[in-house]
Amino acid sequence: MRRRQLSFADGLIAEEVSDLRDSWMEHADAVLADEAIVSAVYEALAHRHPKSRSRGRHGTPAEVVLRLLVLKHIRNWSYHVLEREVRANLVYRDFTRVGGGKMPDAKTMGRWGVALGPEVIKQVHERLVQIARDKGVTAGRRMRVDTTVVETDIHHPTDSTLLGDGVRVLTRIMRKITKIAGAAGTKLRDRSRSVKFRLLEIGRVARAKGSLNQDKLKQRYARLLDTTSRVVGQAKRFSDEIGRRVKRSRDILEQFALNGLRQELDLIIPRVRQVMKQTRARIFRANTRSEGKLLSLFEPSTEVIRKGKAGKPNEFGKMVKLQEAENQIITDYQVYAQRPHDSDLLIAAIETHQVLLGRAPRLVAADAAFYSLKNEAAAKAKGVKRVCIPNRSTKSAERKREQRKRWFRNGQKWRTGSEGRISVVKRRHGLVRCRYKGYVGMNRWVGLGVIADNLINIGQALKRQAAS
């Protein structure tokens, strides 16, 4: 869990950097030393392999793993930048407990991040909220909640570029298969150049206007779909021939590689066929709501989310809920597999607040998307005294008077802080775009970003308490 013995260099580093730390680091350092938090990380690392506890060399201590991952998201660095910065900076060496030891490389830290799945990160976050409550940083008297979109790491999706991605990936995999298996079975015909020309033609025609150009666009798309269909058929034959051992290798390691490449083909082929299906529906039948619509071959869970922003009407990612209590502590976060309506989230958020902080909030503030008569009645039934959620469409004079009262206006002023918190976690901790892969990666990215933000706010709040 921790380093058994400090070196002479560790003592020198700690003494030299004691006055160089950021303002939040001293108290955040004590929070990260919590036994329950370190134990959660230790248990996750101990279950990477069946014999992790008893075989092999000693791994990096759990507290070092935790602090390195937290520092990465506090500074919004990549793993390579994290490795370089910690190696070069004595303050970071002291904070992460690397000290005078050898800094782990970027690939190793990436594997640690995968080992700490969403469940462990959620457990660490909940423990941080409990520490904030126990130390008086937050009491849970007020709650505000809002939703935002964290984008997946994809390019802007268009039908032509998705088809181009499919041809490029399938061709690349088939090249690798041919390199291992040789000329046996179906021969590879590389249509990448033809597809590139089709994409350029579609781009030129799409930028022009007029009914005649629509006919030209359909012709270009028909050619692109025909070429893509041929590539998909060829990839299917490659997969079948590996299964029937027409394409094979005498080297056992290369045969394992062939089987892995076949799995990649079997994963990508259905996705490319879905893109072809939705392209035909949109271009030739003007149907933009194709069932099972894909926006990326590499992030198939990506959704189109419209939140009414003038500068960005369409966002491509996942819906995320953030709810806060006093001192800007994010008490809960949630990444939704499918976008829900905001009004369906309020009561569950109040229940989560009660579980984590041991009391119902006296004031609940949210924007108008969370309002409904049912939500207002249910929140009051759970012990909420003041439900500060505006009803924009009301025609009731009594309701309008209620929304002009001082407590309601003050509650809405406090609610706007949730917009600022969303801006901070996006700008400072990288929640504007997720760099980890898949829905599980999205949960890890959001969870670590929230933990990083909470640590800074807890550290600053505890420093103010100590100074007062």
Side-chain angles (χ1 to χ4, degrees):
M1 289 178 63
R2 293 180 172 84
R3 293 173 64 187
R4 292 181 178 178
Q5 184 176 358
L6 298 180
S7 67
F8 180 68
D10 295 332
L12 289 177
I13 291 173
E15 184 177 353
E16 283 295 317
V17 305
S18 58
D19 60 337
L20 298 177
R21 291 181 167 193
D22 290 349
S23 60
W24 54 270
M25 275 190 174
E26 180 181 355
H27 295 284
D29 186 88
V31 170
L32 287 175
D34 180 75
E35 192 76 13
I37 292 177
V38 180
S39 295
V41 177
Y42 174 76
E43 290 297 325
L45 295 174
H47 287 89
R48 283 183 292 177
H49 301 287
K51 299 291 184 179
S52 285
R53 291 181 185 271
S54 57
R55 292 186 181 178
R57 62 183 180 180
H58 292 296
T60 304
E63 68 168 354
V64 177
V65 173
L66 170 67
R67 289 165 181 265
L68 284 169
L69 292 177
V70 167
L71 179 62
K72 173 188 183 298
H73 284 265
I74 285 175
R75 299 302 192 210
N76 190 22
W77 289 333
S78 68
Y79 284 112
H80 290 285
V81 174
L82 175 66
E83 178 187 356
R84 185 182 70 243
E85 291 294 329
V86 176
R87 285 180 65 187
N89 192 303
L90 294 181
V91 174
Y92 295 147
R93 279 183 171 270
D94 180 58
F95 177 74
T96 59
R97 299 294 190 266
V98 171
K102 187 179 185 307
M103 177 64 192
D105 62 73
K107 288 185 179 180
T108 300
M109 291 187 287
R111 288 193 288 269
W112 293 341
V114 174
L116 267 62
E119 297 81 10
V120 177
I121 292 171
K122 191 79 169 179
Q123 187 178 346
V124 171
H125 170 257
E126 290 176 356
R127 179 57 186 159
L128 280 180
V129 174
Q130 292 173 5
I131 292 172
R133 180 195 63 191
D134 296 342
K135 292 184 177 294
V137 175
T138 185
R141 295 187 182 90
R142 295 188 293 175
M143 185 195 92
R144 62 190 181 197
V145 60
D146 204 353
T147 58
T148 186
V149 177
V150 178
E151 295 184 338
T152 48
D153 195 17
I154 65 173
H155 61 71
H156 187 85
T158 63
D159 292 324
S160 58
T161 55
L162 289 176
L163 291 170
D165 287 343
V167 170
R168 174 173 54 84
V169 173
L170 291 176
T171 304
R172 182 177 64 204
I173 296 172
M174 288 189 288
R175 279 201 205 103
K176 292 179 181 179
I177 293 172
T178 302
K179 186 176 181 180
I180 295 173
T186 302
K187 294 183 179 180
L188 172 64
R189 180 174 177 182
D190 191 341
R191 293 179 168 87
S192 301
R193 190 163 176 264
S194 173
V195 168
K196 183 182 74 172
F197 288 145
R198 298 290 87 75
L199 295 178
L200 292 173
E201 288 176 354
I202 289 172
R204 283 194 293 267
V205 174
R207 286 190 291 270
K209 296 180 180 179
S211 58
L212 181 61
N213 291 318
Q214 290 299 316
D215 295 334
K216 289 183 179 179
L217 193 64
K218 289 181 181 180
Q219 293 173 6
R220 302 304 189 275
Y221 264 108
R223 294 178 187 174
L224 178 59
L225 285 166
D226 179 67
T227 305
T228 306
S229 179
R230 293 175 185 275
V231 173
V232 169
Q234 188 177 48
K236 183 63 178 172
R237 289 193 294 275
F238 267 60
S239 176
D240 293 340
E241 288 175 0
I242 294 174
R244 291 187 285 111
R245 298 187 65 80
V246 173
K247 292 184 181 295
R248 66 175 188 263
S249 175
R250 293 182 179 180
D251 185 275
I252 189 169
L253 294 179
E254 289 185 346
Q255 186 60 43
F256 278 132
L258 273 179
N259 294 334
L261 292 169
R262 183 193 182 195
Q263 291 177 1
E264 290 184 34
L265 284 178
D266 293 342
L267 179 69
I268 296 296
I269 287 172
R271 295 180 184 176
V272 179
R273 284 176 171 166
Q274 172 60 35
V275 173
M276 293 169 63
K277 176 183 173 183
Q278 67 196 36
T279 301
R280 290 191 182 100
R282 188 184 74 86
I283 297 297
F284 301 107
R285 297 192 295 275
N287 178 15
T288 60
R289 297 184 179 274
S290 180
E291 184 179 355
K293 189 171 187 178
L294 276 181
L295 300 170
S296 172
L297 296 177
F298 315 106
E299 294 287 349
S301 64
T302 303
E303 296 179 283
V304 182
I305 300 176
R306 297 177 177 88
K307 290 184 70 71
K309 297 180 181 178
K312 191 178 268 189
N314 298 320
E315 296 179 89
F316 306 101
K318 305 302 289 184
M319 175 76 82
V320 174
K321 178 206 72 175
L322 299 177
Q323 66 183 71
E324 299 175 65
E326 300 90 348
N327 281 319
Q328 302 173 348
I329 303 301
I330 300 174
T331 56
D332 189 49
Y333 67 90
Q334 189 72 40
V335 181
Y336 295 101
Q338 289 188 335
R339 180 191 180 180
H341 195 279
D342 287 0
S343 61
D344 297 332
L345 309 179
L346 183 68
I347 304 306
I350 295 172
E351 291 171 351
T352 302
H353 184 99
Q354 289 177 311
V355 170
L356 292 173
L357 298 174
R359 59 171 295 166
R362 186 173 183 273
L363 169 73
V364 170
D367 61 30
F370 288 83
Y371 179 81
S372 73
L373 284 172
K374 182 180 177 181
N375 278 348
E376 190 171 36
K380 290 182 177 178
K382 290 185 177 295
V384 179
K385 301 296 182 184
R386 291 180 170 176
V387 181
C388 186
I389 306 175
N391 181 6
R392 304 293 189 201
S393 60
T394 184
K395 295 181 180 179
S396 167
E398 182 181 355
R399 177 69 189 183
K400 289 179 179 179
R401 282 196 301 271
E402 183 80 3
Q403 294 181 177
R404 285 196 294 267
K405 289 182 178 179
R406 180 174 294 178
W407 71 265
F408 195 97
R409 288 187 282 112
N410 288 340
Q412 279 296 294
K413 287 179 183 177
W414 182 70
R415 182 210 68 79
T416 57
S418 61
E419 305 286 351
R421 181 57 31 207
I422 288 171
S423 175
V424 167
V425 295
K426 286 191 172 188
R427 183 183 68 254
R428 186 168 67 186
H429 304 300
L431 264 65
V432 66
R433 180 177 286 254
C434 174
R435 302 295 179 180
Y436 297 156
K437 292 184 178 180
Y439 179 67
V440 172
M442 176 70 76
N443 275 274
R444 288 172 43 232
W445 183 268
V446 173
L448 286 167
V450 168
I451 288 171
D453 191 66
N454 275 350
L455 265 178
I456 292 176
N457 290 328
I458 290 171
Q460 290 175 342
L462 290 175
K463 184 178 181 180
R464 289 194 297 268
Q465 283 183 7
S468 61

